[in-house]
Amino acid sequence: MTAQILGPSVPSCILLILAAAFIFSSSAAQQIATARILLYTATADFRHDSIPTAIQALHNQSSNFNVAFDSTEDKTKFTDSNLALYDAIMFVSTTGEVLDDSGKTAFQNFLNKGGNFIGVHSASDTLRTTPFYEEELGAYFDYHPALQNATVDVIGPSHPSTSMLPAEWHVQDEMYNFKSDPRSLGAVVILSANESSYVDTGVRQFNQGTPHPTAWFQEHGAGVQSGGIAGRSFYTSLGHLNETWEDNLFMAHVMGGVMWALQANTTKAFNASAEIGNSQSTTTASMVPASGSSSVQP
């Protein structure tokens, strides 16, 4: 199904074209090993039905982009020794307190050593009392109006996650509102919800800035502590429906953000002298169920 995109259907070749663009770009040419991502989908509050579909959709892109996803919902995987094997951590539709204090410390150490971060959808409704996470992500979720058709505008500088999108992208999704403006942390907003295209009867209590932030990136993730090595951070608030994750244009948007984040040149897949990351070519990781408590380790 392709209900997420309201315009003409997009052929699957768009993902292959995007992958080829990364392979032949000057940044991607520096890749020396398979990039490895810890894909975390744990939930402590609301759980999205689309999580298994999202996991499968990401694993399906592994061979196209020379990246391996290790899926887990086991918070004990957040240790210094385990996270040191990854080039990025990716939170997809996580909610609530999905890490304990030791896990948060390992996550912070990962970021301090140049680790990259990607967040999707309700990743912004996660670890709500953890300052470094809010800074690395960009802003916390506040509320959203009812699921409905809306228009998302491509704004800001050209970016690999938006280069394939129409200037006015018609979607069916939740238009998130946030508790702060991600631009206040140095984030660059690249997608904006067109507020004239949908109905929002909620009461806004926070200033999220204008235009309405929907997706953004940080060249240097603000969650790193002083003296650390800042990797990249990318976040998109879209991704609610199963149909969304089955849509080629949305997947091109997400994978564009993923690959851009990896090319920070701060991890071993791209930089042999980096402190963390995967330094060896590997086969594509196996899919594990979203409800599983273990991941496929390097």
Side-chain angles (χ1 to χ4, degrees):
M1 297 178 66
T2 57
Q4 196 270 338
I5 302 300
L6 303 179
S9 62
V10 180
S12 59
C13 63
I14 189 172
L15 285 160
L16 296 177
I17 294 171
L18 176 64
F22 277 108
I23 291 172
F24 291 107
S25 72
S26 58
S27 294
Q30 299 173 10
Q31 187 167 357
I32 58 179
T34 300
R36 202 160 200 106
I37 297 176
L38 182 63
L39 175 57
Y40 197 48
T41 55
T43 55
D45 293 324
F46 180 83
R47 185 170 183 86
H48 286 80
D49 294 338
S50 59
I51 286 176
T53 305
I55 294 173
Q56 184 65 67
L58 290 165
H59 279 277
N60 289 347
Q61 299 307 317
S62 294
S63 59
N64 293 337
F65 290 88
N66 194 22
V67 59
F69 294 94
D70 291 344
S71 311
T72 189
E73 297 201 352
D74 183 358
K75 64 183 178 181
T76 67
K77 300 300 181 182
F78 280 72
T79 64
D80 287 337
S81 59
N82 190 50
L83 296 188
L85 303 173
Y86 293 95
D87 299 279
I89 294 173
M90 185 172 185
F91 280 26
V92 173
S93 296
T94 50
T95 56
E97 291 298 307
V98 291
L99 291 178
D100 56 21
D101 289 344
S102 63
K104 292 177 185 179
T105 297
F107 192 179
Q108 176 73 84
N109 292 339
F110 171 83
L111 298 176
N112 290 344
K113 294 178 180 179
N116 304 294
F117 176 74
I118 302 106
V120 179
H121 201 48
S122 60
S124 58
D125 195 25
T126 304
L127 303 181
R128 305 181 195 101
T129 60
T130 306
F132 85 84
Y133 179 76
E134 179 185 17
E135 293 170 357
E136 184 69 17
L137 178 80
Y140 281 133
F141 165 80
D142 181 21
Y143 76 93
H144 66 76
L147 176 72
Q148 59 192 292
N149 296 337
T151 299
V152 174
D153 296 326
V154 176
I155 62 172
S158 176
H159 191 267
S161 68
T162 59
S163 61
M164 76 297 294
L165 301 179
E168 296 181 352
W169 188 18
H170 302 294
V171 302
Q172 184 183 32
D173 214 312
E174 295 171 334
M175 297 296 103
Y176 274 19
N177 293 289
F178 299 93
K179 293 184 177 180
S180 62
D181 184 351
R183 285 160 286 223
S184 66
L185 294 170
V188 179
V189 176
I190 48 178
L191 287 182
S192 174
N194 186 327
E195 295 180 350
S196 67
S197 69
Y198 64 95
V199 176
D200 183 355
T201 59
V203 178
R204 296 186 188 176
Q205 303 180 51
F206 304 96
N207 178 18
Q208 63 183 352
T210 55
H212 187 135
T214 297
W216 57 77
F217 69 86
Q218 297 181 52
E219 183 72 41
H220 304 287
V224 68
Q225 291 177 321
S226 177
I229 302 168
R232 289 177 170 178
S233 171
F234 172 81
Y235 173 74
T236 180
S237 62
L238 304 176
H240 179 72
L241 296 171
N242 281 286
E243 291 85 352
T244 305
W245 287 95
E246 294 168 346
D247 185 89
N248 293 322
L249 192 54
F250 173 76
M251 287 306 302
H253 165 59
V254 169
M255 290 306 301
V258 167
M259 296 308 297
W260 173 86
L262 287 170
Q263 292 174 15
N265 202 38
T266 56
T267 63
K268 290 180 180 178
F270 292 86
N271 182 352
S273 62
E275 296 183 29
I276 58 172
N278 186 43
S279 60
Q280 300 178 357
S281 296
T282 58
T283 56
T284 301
S286 300
M287 164 83 175
V288 299
S291 59
S293 60
S294 62
S295 63
V296 180
Q297 295 301 322

